[in-house]
Amino acid sequence: MTTRKQMIQSIAAEATEWRRELHKHPGTMYEETFASDFISKKLTEWGIPHERGIAVTGIAATIEGRSNHSGRAVAFRADMDALDLIEQSGQPWASEVRGKMHGCGHDGHTATLLALAWYLNQTRNFDGAVRLIFQPAEEGGRGAFRMLEDGLLDRFPFDEIYGFHNWPFMPRGKFAICAGPMLAAVDIFEIRLQGKGGHAGMPHMTTDVIPAAAQLVLALQTLVSRETDPMAAAVISVTNLNAGSGADNVISGEARLTGTVRTFRKDVRDHIEARMSAVTAGIAAAHNITAECIYKRLLDATINDPEATLHCQAAAAALTGEENVLDMEPIMGGEDFGGFLEVRPGAFMAIGQAEEPGSPHNYICHSPLYDFNDAIIPTAAEYFAELAERRLPAD
């Protein structure tokens, strides 16, 4: 009798080719047309009903179990967008689209979900329905939210949802997860300062924006260090400060600051957003300049449901042993899978992909040298399959 592991392993080489083909043809937010066409072609080939055009390029599919006495549905999600990044990996399957690269492994996530689709469609060893969600625009485009706004839950309802991300910080064969907050909410800001420029030797005839910008960079840090509960994590990073023409003898009349805010708790997020505008206005008034603070919420925190987390841990342990399922510390990276977790319980797993020192699979996500580890495709697909069959047990 062929086991699940053997079945999934039998398609691993083909799934690797899928991943590498996707890698060659990356598309960034809402332009993932190659991936969307590729996925649809595979699902059609296997006779799996699906709908395209959810959030422009997104796809949702359904695989029915051998029975449906429970009336339940469990969803599995893969993101499929790339990054605006010039690839430097040197791999034979490197991006053929200049300036765009699958530098975060979403091509691998997509190949994994296709492998899961192939297996579940062959076996249907579950009661209920499995939804497969291929999501666009994870990298800052709020693709999860747009799929929901486009009626995903109305047409493809589900009771729980699960996802994963490759983890270059952890050896292949290891899993990691935590209940509650796992990945942070991600916001961005832009602060524009407007004064009056002039001659650097006559500063009294100007309203200099540089001292205001310098004070603002430092003052924003006190929103974390002096206004946020030390037990509630938050980060404010000013990542760009632009002012001046490059001339040594000219005082600029304009400055622009941009950066990111990371939080886990809604009350902390609300407080920082409100106070950032207030502090900006106060410093501007003190320096006799005008200011505008533009604050944009990109992604909500990924907060794992405690019960769903236990299901994930049990599924991973069944495959690899409890000693290889680690407790993960929350990190300030972001993931818009949190949008799905706002509407349904579920959890997000990290799956290790690092190899021996010097491996291209050890590079951090978003590095131009990054390369997804194809060896984890069968591991991740089997993990999803174990989870599906546990959460929708066949009669």
Side-chain angles (χ1 to χ4, degrees):
M1 179 179 177
T2 305
T3 66
R4 180 179 62 206
K5 182 180 287 294
Q6 289 170 332
M7 284 189 68
I8 292 176
Q9 194 60 46
S10 74
I11 204 172
E14 190 174 351
T16 293
E17 292 306 310
W18 303 339
R19 200 282 298 182
R20 294 178 180 181
E21 194 65 19
L22 290 165
H23 191 91
K24 290 180 183 178
H25 302 92
T28 47
M29 62 177 71
Y30 303 116
E31 296 178 351
E32 308 91 339
T33 51
F34 182 90
S36 187
D37 290 345
F38 188 94
I39 293 161
S40 181
K41 182 179 179 181
K42 287 296 176 186
L43 296 177
T44 300
E45 178 185 324
W46 300 330
I48 299 174
H50 60 282
E51 183 177 330
R52 302 186 66 178
I54 306 174
V56 187
T57 51
I59 294 176
T62 298
I63 300 176
E64 301 285 352
R66 292 181 182 176
S67 59
N68 193 4
H69 302 303
S70 67
R72 298 183 69 251
V74 172
F76 297 90
R77 169 271 206 172
D79 38 14
M80 57 185 190
D81 57 323
L83 294 159
D84 290 312
L85 190 63
I86 298 175
E87 183 161 2
Q88 299 174 20
S89 71
Q91 298 290 2
W93 48 85
S95 173
E96 296 178 0
V97 182
R98 176 71 176 175
K100 296 185 186 296
M101 174 195 176
H102 273 294
C104 204
H106 297 183
D107 49 345
H109 302 164
T110 297
T112 295
L113 200 58
L114 284 173
L116 174 73
W118 177 86
Y119 166 78
L120 292 179
N121 195 48
Q122 294 284 319
T123 59
R124 299 181 186 266
N125 187 31
F126 57 92
D127 176 83
V130 168
R131 313 292 191 200
L132 306 171
I133 299 171
F134 296 90
Q135 181 210 309
E138 190 280 325
E139 297 287 355
R142 293 179 61 84
F145 301 89
R146 187 159 176 181
M147 291 191 86
L148 292 169
E149 290 165 2
D150 277 4
L152 176 69
L153 273 175
D154 295 330
R155 302 197 296 280
F156 295 86
F158 52 84
D159 300 286
E160 303 170 14
I161 185 165
Y162 297 94
F164 88 96
H165 205 289
N166 69 92
W167 218 246
F169 316 101
M170 186 168 63
R172 179 165 61 88
K174 302 289 185 180
F175 292 72
I177 195 171
C178 64
M182 179 170 167
L183 295 159
V186 178
D187 302 332
I188 59 174
F189 62 87
E190 177 183 1
I191 298 172
R192 300 171 182 168
L193 305 178
Q194 183 70 50
K196 178 183 175 183
H199 197 292
M202 292 174 274
H204 60 291
M205 300 180 69
T206 73
T207 47
D208 192 351
V209 294
I210 299 293
Q215 187 174 345
L216 190 55
V217 170
L218 298 177
L220 290 178
Q221 302 308 312
T222 66
L223 300 183
V224 175
S225 66
R226 289 298 176 267
E227 296 190 20
T228 300
D229 181 346
M231 303 305 293
V235 170
I236 298 175
S237 292
V238 179
T239 54
N240 294 282
L241 199 170
N242 305 106
S245 63
D248 297 332
N249 59 352
V250 176
I251 289 176
S252 176
E254 298 178 346
R256 177 176 174 268
L257 298 83
T258 64
T260 186
V261 176
R262 307 295 173 103
T263 55
F264 289 117
R265 283 176 20 187
K266 184 179 183 301
D267 60 327
V268 174
R269 190 183 201 183
D270 291 344
H271 177 78
I272 287 177
E273 179 177 2
R275 288 288 293 142
M276 185 172 285
S277 292
V279 168
T280 298
I283 289 177
H287 288 266
N288 195 28
I289 63 174
T290 60
E292 180 182 16
C293 181
I294 302 165
Y295 193 101
K296 183 178 180 181
R297 298 189 178 202
L298 285 186
L299 307 176
D300 292 340
T302 297
I303 301 176
N304 288 334
D305 177 79
E307 184 176 345
T309 301
L310 292 175
H311 299 319
C312 293
Q313 290 170 324
L319 302 182
T320 191
E322 291 184 4
E323 69 278 8
N324 291 311
V325 184
L326 311 178
D327 292 325
M328 183 171 175
E329 292 292 329
I331 67 168
M332 285 300 186
E335 230 298 346
D336 80 349
F337 186 77
F340 294 123
L341 295 181
E342 286 188 356
V343 296
R344 290 293 184 272
F348 196 67
M349 176 71 78
I351 299 180
Q353 77 155 32
E355 300 284 4
E356 68 283 348
S359 168
H361 308 312
N362 302 352
Y363 286 109
I364 190 172
C365 295
H366 295 213
S367 164
L369 300 170
Y370 168 90
D371 188 49
F372 182 85
N373 190 344
D374 294 314
I376 75 168
I377 293 176
T379 302
E382 190 177 2
Y383 160 70
F384 270 172
E386 174 74 19
L387 200 49
E389 292 171 355
R390 280 174 174 263
R391 299 307 301 140
L392 298 170
D395 291 346

